[in-house]
Amino acid sequence: MDGVRAVVERLSERGERVGIFVDGPNVLREEFTVDLNDLRTAAADRGTLAISRLYLDEQAPTSLIQAGEARGFEVVITSGDVDVRLAVDATAALVEEDIDTLCIASRDTDFKPVLEAARKRGIRTCVLLPGEHGRSDALVNAADEAIVLQARE
């Protein structure tokens, strides 16, 4: 029984582990003026960042890759569909129990199944939206929490 108590105490001291997965091509557009620091802050407000990934396609400018790395993101460049790679990685994090809260920054309904899978596993979910325009209501409704990021001027 003492061993169980020690594990429970260690887990409660650890705090919430948060994973943020950013759909770069869908969120980092001129019309939204989303700041990478705002994305990290919004996720970090929910606990300790255990996973912090920015997904970009192979056409991403070097300056964007460097900006992501400078702000503490692991930048993942895909030659295929960014959505597929992000969804697979986020689902793996759920299965491997790496996180307690899943944050996805996107406007894309493609991530609804990932959010639903997380909620079935008892993992809190959060979507970070780059604005009201073009957002997916289905994505918002699938999450425990939806945060609309304010545009920077």
Side-chain angles (χ1 to χ4, degrees):
M1 193 62 142
D2 288 329
V4 171
R5 212 172 289 150
V7 169
V8 170
E9 286 176 16
R10 200 168 49 244
L11 289 174
S12 64
E13 288 172 3
R14 176 188 70 199
E16 291 290 307
R17 295 169 298 155
V18 178
I20 179 172
F21 296 80
V22 180
D23 177 3
N26 204 319
V27 172
L28 302 175
R29 296 178 171 201
E30 281 186 35
E31 64 261 32
F32 298 131
T33 64
V34 171
D35 186 275
L36 288 169
N37 288 327
D38 292 343
L39 291 170
R40 277 186 62 86
T41 299
D45 285 348
R46 276 124 198 91
T48 302
L49 291 180
I51 300 171
S52 182
R53 293 193 188 137
L54 168 61
Y55 292 80
L56 300 170
D57 59 32
E58 58 191 353
Q59 282 81 39
T62 303
S63 59
L64 181 56
I65 296 167
Q66 291 171 342
E69 290 171 344
R71 284 158 184 82
F73 284 95
E74 173 188 347
V75 178
V76 179
I77 308 294
T78 68
S79 59
D81 192 348
V82 168
D83 292 357
V84 172
R85 178 68 187 273
L86 190 157
V88 167
D89 288 356
T91 303
L94 304 177
V95 171
E96 295 164 4
E97 300 178 3
D98 290 337
I99 56 175
D100 303 302
T101 301
L102 170 67
C103 292
I104 294 182
S106 185
R107 305 173 305 131
D108 196 330
T109 303
D110 289 347
F111 300 112
K112 182 179 178 265
V114 177
L115 295 172
E116 292 169 342
R119 291 181 77 189
K120 283 182 185 174
R121 291 177 129 1
I123 295 171
R124 287 198 42 78
T125 58
C126 172
V127 290
L128 305 172
L129 303 158
E132 295 286 345
H133 176 70
R135 75 173 193 190
S136 164
D137 288 336
L139 187 66
V140 169
N141 293 333
D144 293 313
E145 180 181 19
I147 299 167
V148 177
L149 300 166
Q150 299 303 314
R152 294 228 174 191
E153 296 183 28

